[in-house]
Each structure stands twice: as structure tokens, then as C-alpha cells.
């Protein structure tokens, strides 16, 4: 495994799949979290996931500055998991960051990452068109981001009901 | 076919696919329906589906007590179709039933079912995150249930546009 | 390629995939657009897509009368792309057109089309059940239409994150 992109729906088992792929490698691992603990629901979810991962993993928070976090982690850890790009996109849009530039920097960080790297994203475009224009814009950008990352990495896996389906 | 789990979106053809798989077997079949006819839209849909299935099928209603319905049906029918787990989950949550226990009982019923058994569920996690916290919780539990069932059964098929894609 | 049906989520890369499949063929191509430019968001999107396609393509607008547009285009172009059936369905429902008849006419037009023909549709049934009854009805009809077209054509491809997955 060099670079792996795991996509899937909510609670599809994509994080567990990606984590297992990383843990099959030797060494110490960086878990780059893009989530921010803003409310009790989110804080509880983050804490549960961190406890589940156990001692081989170090957690690095990178809600916005993802490319530089990947570059730094690649010099200190044997493999890296980014979970997830969809929350990162949400953070970028909320902060008003220019997306094209941020996407480009991420792509570059993936291309020049020396360690095995897995990235996770949600597939959010398979439901009814949202009424809310912001949700529509988010959905469009998430699809654009997923296409771009899928084009960059070596391997793409769609996870459904915990089961992997290789797309690339 | 021993145990089959069919997942897919709304109107993806998953029921028709699962039904055809059961009808390829010899004997008499139990259709375990988790739907409840609460309004005209739902009643019409249930009646249409029942008429479509025809005389080889007996319909058993099990909106909540699914594990025991499977156990009973396995002693009286040659094959069983459960349609669907996503409505069952919705019924459980509405009734305030403890999910972990209900999921565990279902898993046990699947494991000890002597007859060929097909179970259907919706994939509901591939759209935009719902605004409604209840819808988010439902989506999370549906994903968790689907992963668990997929881990238990022998065969998992994703249906899209009426076409099957084998995941396991 | 004779008849191809490409399904996928919003911004999944399905149009680009279908367009590339058509452009691999020799000759001049018809792009049958079902979109209507009703607001700035839509007009911008249509104009961008038209500019992206370039000079080999002629754009034909067919928001409702799709079957006859396909029949006419098949006599004048070497290959045809219909983008997309989901917007067409939305237009039909808004105009109060009888769906069974329109679906039947489309199916016939596909069957008797002399030129290679690719049709695109959105998969919209993989999210949470919409609150809105109209959205539910739309989702049901979109699923029914997708199943019908998938049954008619020679090849069906699901696109996710820009990557094709052959279903038929």
C-alpha cells in the first residue's frame, strides 16, 4: 500500500477498514483527525474512536491545515490515516478558505508523502438533491474533491456494509 | 444459498432480486414483512407487493419481534425473506426497544435458522448529513446494523438499478 | 458500444465518463440536454459544460420530448449522449406528463436508435427517506426509471469518485 482512498457512506465501516489496512503495516501510526469537538455528540464520537484505536496510534488534529500536517507526519510516523476529507471540506468552507488552492496543496502533499497514506471520505451525492443551496454547493465540492483524490492515489476502495469493493 | 443479505437504495430492485433468489428454491416461502400500514401510501404499497408475490408466499407481519418470527417460520417454510431490516430498525427506535439486544437476537436467529434466509435492507448513508438529529441517529444505527448483518451472513449483494453486485 | 447507461451520484464524474466513451467513437456527436436554465446557478452550470465539450458536439435541448429528440438525432449524428434522465423525470413530473407512457416511449427510442447512445442518470435513493412526499414520489419514480433503462441497454456502469464500476 502506498496511497489508498477509502470512500463510503455514513457508518459504512470505512474508518475501520482503512485502520485495519494501516495496522497491517509495521511501525507507529499517525491518525490525522479533521473533526472538531464542537458539541457533546461530536466530542463523544471522537473520544470513543480514539479509545478504540489504542496505543499504536498518535492523534494529530488538523481541521484546516491538512497538507502541512501530512508533510510533518510523514517524517515522524511509519503510516498515516486521514479521517476524513469530507469534514475537512466542511471546515474549509466554513472558514472561507479558497478551495482550489487547498485541494491543490492536498494533492501535492499526497504525491510527495513518503509514508503509506490512507485517506477517508464520505460519499454524499447519492440522495435526493438538498433544498438548501449551501448543502448543494457542499455536495458538489465533495464530489469534485473525491474525484480529484481518486485520480491521484494508487488505490480506491468503496466500502458498503463493512465490505470493500475495489474501484482502482 | 444459505443466508443472503441484499442492500440497496430506494426502488433499486432489491426486493425483486431477493424474491427471485428465493423463488429459485423449491417449496413454500415465508415473506416476513416489517412494514406497518399506517397510512394510505404505505397500505397501497404493501397490498401491491403482496399481490405481486402470488400464491407460493405466505405473509407474516413482524414489525418488532423479528428474531422469533424467523425462528417460527424456519420450522414451517422452505425459505424465508425478511423485507426489510431498515423499517424494522425504525419500528424498534420508535418503540424505544434496546437496539444492541435486538440486533444480537436477530444475529442469533440468522445463525440458527435452518432454512435458506434472505434479508433486505436499505442503504441510507450516502446522502448529505441530515439536519435532524433523529435522522442522523437512525442513519448511524442503520449503518451499524447493516455492517453487523453483512458480517454474519454468507453472501452480500448490493443492488443498483435492478442489477446485483456481489460484495461477499 | 451500442447502448450505455451511466448512473452515479452528484459530481461523481458520470458525465465526463459518458462523454469520454462517446468521444472514443468517430464522427460528430449530439448532446441531448434535459436541463432548463431557470436560474443563474443552472445557467452557469449549463454554459460551463457546453464550453467544456468543445466543437465536436452539437447541443439539443429536450426537457420533455426526449424520445423524439433521440429519434431525430440518430439520423443526423454518429453518436448521442443524453444528460440526464433524472432532470428529464423532474421535468415530466412538473409538467404532469403520464410517466408510464413517457417511460415506454423512451424505452422504444432506445431500442430503435441506430447510433451508439449513452444515457446518464443520477442515483438518488441512497440517502435518508425524504420528509417531503413529493421528493419521496420522485425518488421512487427515479428508481423505477433507472431499473427500466438498465434492463433495456447493453451496458450499465456505476461511476463513483470518477471511477467506473461495470454492473452489466
Amino acid at each position: 500500500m502506498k496511497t489508498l482512498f477509502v470512500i463510503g457512506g455514513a457508518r459504512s465501516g470505512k474508518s475501520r477498514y482503512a485502520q485495519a489496512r494501516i495496522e497491517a503495516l509495521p511501525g507507529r501510526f499517525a491518525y490525522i483527525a479533521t473533526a472538531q469537538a464542537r458539541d457533546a455528540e461530536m466530542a463523544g464520537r471522537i473520544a470513543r474512536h480514539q479509545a478504540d484505536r489504542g496505543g499504536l496510534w498518535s492523534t494529530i488534529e488538523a481541521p484546516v491545515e491538512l497538507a502541512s500536517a501530512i508533510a510533518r507526519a510523514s517524517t515522524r510516523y511509519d503510516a498515516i490515516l486521514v479521517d476524513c476529507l469530507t469534514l475537512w471540506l466542511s471546515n474549509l468552507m466554513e472558514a472561507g478558505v479558497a478551495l482550489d488552492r487547498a485541494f491543490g496543496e492536498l494533492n501535492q502533499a499526497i504525491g510527495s508523502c513518503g509514508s503509506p497514506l490512507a485517506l477517508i471520505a464520505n460519499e454524499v451525492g447519492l440522495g435526493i438533491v438538498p433544498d438548501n443551496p449551501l448543502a448543494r454547493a457542499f455536495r458538489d465540492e465533495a464530489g469534485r474533491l473525491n474525484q480529484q483524490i481518486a485520480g491521484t492515489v494508487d488505490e480506491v476502495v468503496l466500502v458498503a456494509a463493512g465490505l470493500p469493493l475495489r474501484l482502482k
Side-chain angles (χ1 to χ4, degrees), chain A:
Chain A
M1 191 193 109
K2 209 173 158 319
T3 50
L4 166 68
F5 187 35
V6 179
I7 57 173
R11 301 283 135 160
S12 60
K14 53 194 187 313
S15 293
R16 195 163 51 169
Y17 173 79
Q19 198 179 316
R21 289 288 303 271
I22 293 284
E23 289 177 347
L25 302 170
R28 291 160 56 244
F29 315 128
Y31 178 86
I32 301 184
T34 59
Q36 291 171 294
R38 298 176 194 215
D39 55 31
E41 183 183 351
M42 207 59 213
R45 187 171 287 196
I46 289 173
R48 271 197 312 280
H49 286 174
Q50 194 158 348
D52 286 352
R53 280 193 298 277
L56 286 170
W57 291 85
S58 301
T59 300
I60 295 162
E61 289 183 23
V64 171
E65 301 293 344
L66 182 55
S68 56
I70 291 172
R72 272 197 308 276
S74 74
T75 66
R76 300 174 46 195
Y77 296 94
D78 300 297
I80 302 168
L81 175 57
V82 176
D83 190 2
C84 75
L85 295 185
T86 315
L87 273 174
W88 174 66
L89 172 64
S90 173
N91 296 337
L92 292 183
M93 287 178 79
E94 200 181 308
V97 171
L99 298 183
D100 281 343
R101 183 171 169 177
F103 288 8
E105 288 171 354
L106 173 59
N107 249 336
Q108 237 172 342
I110 295 171
S112 59
C113 180
S115 312
L117 171 65
L119 306 112
I120 297 171
N122 275 70
E123 176 54 75
V124 299
L126 289 156
I128 279 286
V129 179
D131 288 333
N132 179 343
L134 207 70
R136 280 205 300 280
F138 177 73
R139 194 168 84 134
D140 283 354
E141 293 299 343
R144 208 160 64 86
L145 175 60
N146 287 1
Q147 284 187 56
Q148 193 175 309
I149 303 300
T152 301
V153 299
D154 301 306
E155 184 182 349
V156 180
V157 170
L158 173 69
V159 175
L163 301 169
L165 188 69
R166 186 153 184 176
L167 297 180
K168 177 183 178 180

